[in-house]
Amino acid sequence: MAKISVSRLAKMKQEQEKITCITAYDASFAAIFDQADIQVLLVGDSLGMVLQGHDSTLPVTVEHIAYHTAAVASTTEKSLIIADLPFMSYSTPEQTYNNAATLMRSGANMVKLEGGTWLSESVKGLIERGIPVCGHLGLTPQSVNVFGGYKVQGRADEQADKLIEDALALEKAGIQLLVIECVPVALAERVTKALNIPVIGIGAGAETDGQILVMHDAFGISAGFCPKFSKNFLVETGDIRRAVELYKEQVENKIFPGSEHSFY
Ligand code: KIV
């Protein structure tokens, strides 16, 4: 099987085939996910919490993400690799291009950044320079201090309309994938229908084009708190490879996420 491309992901949306994504930070897990035909691996700045033990993603640097991206890329043949641009690494277009180039040189196939309309110029510039971009809206963990905690976003009508406006602006600027995190199911469905590009949810219900989980949450091994929207697939299977298969099967068949993992 060839490397998953952004056009393959777009086709999956058109054909209503669910896309399965998971975070990966090292060579061994990346190989397991790749062999299980997980379409997208995200080298997320969540590594600041699940690997480094911080209480937020803010201490993560471009060098950290580049190091883990290279490890993931070393064993990944088919899955598309997205690398997160960490906190304050994309404040200006120039800074964004330089840091995105570092991540692409480390083995990423796409970069992800958190935020809405204000990123349009940087997104357009990245695409023009040959770097595919994934957006991230809703609960954007790098803004935890602005939100005052890890809270569900987009519950108020005004907030929900703003999220749709941001999603459309990012799509117009050129993003080819969007992650939405911790939003009510109805809003996630609105965004998914409003956009032509695939929308991947985490804590956003089953109506998005695909799902992503932090791998430590999917295996129930996170040291701290495990979010309500996640599920421990290892406890049911007792085997890592089987847990990954079960996650993929349940995403494809819209069994996961269930109503108990969703916000209304
Ligand atoms: O950093 C990360 O792992 C993420 C996911 C939660 C989507 O951004």
Side-chain angles (χ1 to χ4, degrees), residues 23 25 42-47 57 84 112 114 136 141 179 181 202 212-214:
T23 65
Y25 317 99
L42 169 68
V43 184
D45 58 1
S46 51
L47 69 85
T57 60
D84 255 343
K112 176 164 83 59
E114 299 181 6
H136 186 158
V179 168
E181 179 165 354
I202 172 163
I212 184 157
L213 282 179
V214 170

Side-chain angles (χ1 to χ4, degrees), residues 64-246:
H64 295 153
I65 300 281
Y67 173 89
H68 288 280
T69 300
V72 167
S74 71
T75 53
T76 302
E77 288 176 8
K78 299 169 285 183
S79 311
L80 182 105
I81 302 172
I82 305 180
D84 255 343
L85 278 161
F87 179 62
M88 289 302 283
S89 69
Y90 50 98
S91 306
T92 64
E94 222 44 52
Q95 188 197 23
T96 311
Y97 306 150
N98 288 331
N99 288 326
T102 300
L103 300 183
M104 295 297 281
R105 287 193 189 105
S106 303
N109 307 120
M110 179 180 252
V111 297
K112 176 164 83 59
L113 28 72
E114 299 181 6
T117 311
W118 72 274
L119 287 169
S120 295
E121 185 189 341
S122 295
V123 170
K124 193 164 175 286
L126 284 170
I127 307 290
E128 284 166 350
R129 287 159 180 76
I131 302 183
V133 187
C134 174
H136 186 158
L137 292 172
L139 172 56
T140 45
Q142 291 170 20
S143 302
V144 62
N145 293 301
V146 175
F147 296 143
Y150 296 99
K151 297 175 184 165
V152 179
Q153 301 296 308
R155 284 203 199 268
D157 287 350
E158 203 180 296
Q159 251 194 359
D161 292 344
K162 173 79 173 85
L163 195 144
I164 302 271
E165 195 187 300
D166 281 336
L168 289 168
L170 289 172
E171 183 178 56
K172 189 162 173 227
I175 61 163
Q176 285 163 301
L177 203 63
L178 176 69
V179 168
I180 43 170
E181 179 165 354
C182 266
V183 298
V185 175
L187 174 56
E189 193 174 356
R190 262 179 81 192
V191 179
T192 306
K193 286 190 174 146
L195 299 195
N196 292 312
I197 56 163
V199 175
I200 308 299
I202 172 163
E207 299 307 321
T208 53
D209 301 307
Q211 299 293 327
I212 184 157
L213 282 179
V214 170
M215 58 162 276
H216 291 63
D217 294 341
F219 298 143
I221 54 168
S222 298
F225 146 91
C226 186
K228 160 193 155 111
F229 56 73
S230 194
K231 175 169 170 176
N232 179 348
F233 291 90
L234 187 57
V235 79
E236 262 181 66
T237 53
D239 175 81
I240 300 247
R241 286 179 177 77
R242 185 66 201 113
V244 177
E245 281 166 18
L246 183 66

